[in-house]
Amino acid sequence: MCATEHEGGRGKRGRGHRGGSCGAPWEHGRAAFGPFGPPFGEGPPFGGRGHGRGRARRGDVRASILALLKDRPMHGYEMIQEIAERSGGAWKPSPGSVYPTLQLLEDEGLIASENDGGKRLFALTEAGRAEAGTGPDAPWEEAGRGIDWEAMNEIRKAGGGLIEAFRQVWATGSPEQREKALGVVNDARKRLYLILAEED
């Protein structure tokens, strides 16, 4: 059986099943795709933990929060979304970096919070507004500098097209067609890695 089973409170994961009806192979991890792993979808620019994130310098979270709150009071989650949007998707700070920074700023007396429908709404204090006035207006822009957005869009389009084609074959194809599709994707991934090994 391919579905996850629970016996005695413990989960037991089934192995990838070729040609069966147990779902797409990317649901079963690297093994189903051989030594080269799943086709795209992992890491930038297609997804995974690195999707759409730039490397921000230390202190950017603090500066960005102060800059955002100059506009209006915001919730923590709203700040994360705003930074991602204003940076063009180049940087989306994690809750693990934003919320501790908010607490630190509040401890320093630069921001204050109040309960707003079960969420904390943050706003600058007088001291915080003075501090924000000395900082950059858009510190998140630094994360997106040097990125070729046109090329990134082309890469995403190409990768998305391949993923969609594979999904179609896996959803409607016969076991033999699925097997061929796996071979095509594995071969494509292998060829991409081999590009890096080519000598100039």
Side-chain angles (χ1 to χ4, degrees), residues 136-190:
D137 290 328
W140 44 80
E141 289 182 353
E142 188 68 27
R145 295 190 195 280
I147 294 177
D148 187 339
W149 294 109
E150 186 174 346
M152 289 287 285
N153 287 332
E154 287 299 316
I155 292 169
R156 286 173 178 155
K157 188 185 299 182
L162 177 58
I163 292 170
E164 180 57 30
F166 187 86
R167 288 184 191 276
Q168 288 292 328
V169 175
W170 196 262
T172 63
S174 65
E176 292 77 15
Q177 288 171 326
R178 290 182 175 185
E179 191 74 23
K180 287 180 181 179
L182 283 171
V184 168
V185 171
N186 275 329
D187 184 61
R189 189 176 181 93
K190 180 178 179 179

Side-chain angles (χ1 to χ4, degrees), residues 86-158:
R86 297 190 191 195
S87 68
W91 176 38
K92 185 177 182 180
S94 68
S97 63
V98 170
Y99 287 104
T101 304
L102 286 169
Q103 185 60 59
L104 180 62
L105 289 170
E106 193 164 17
D107 291 344
E108 294 176 359
L110 299 179
I111 64 174
S113 65
E114 62 180 29
N115 191 292
D116 179 41
K119 299 178 181 178
R120 293 175 70 192
L121 184 67
F122 298 90
L124 291 173
T125 61
E126 265 188 58
R129 192 161 293 279
E131 178 80 10
T134 65
D137 290 328
W140 44 80
E141 289 182 353
E142 188 68 27
R145 295 190 195 280
I147 294 177
D148 187 339
W149 294 109
E150 186 174 346
M152 289 287 285
N153 287 332
E154 287 299 316
I155 292 169
R156 286 173 178 155
K157 188 185 299 182

Side-chain angles (χ1 to χ4, degrees), residues 33-66:
F33 287 93
F36 294 96
F40 302 101
E42 286 191 343
F46 302 107
R49 286 175 289 182
H51 176 60
R53 297 189 186 181
R55 286 186 176 273
R57 295 175 304 176
R58 184 173 298 176
D60 278 356
V61 172
R62 176 189 176 93
S64 295
I65 289 172
L66 292 173

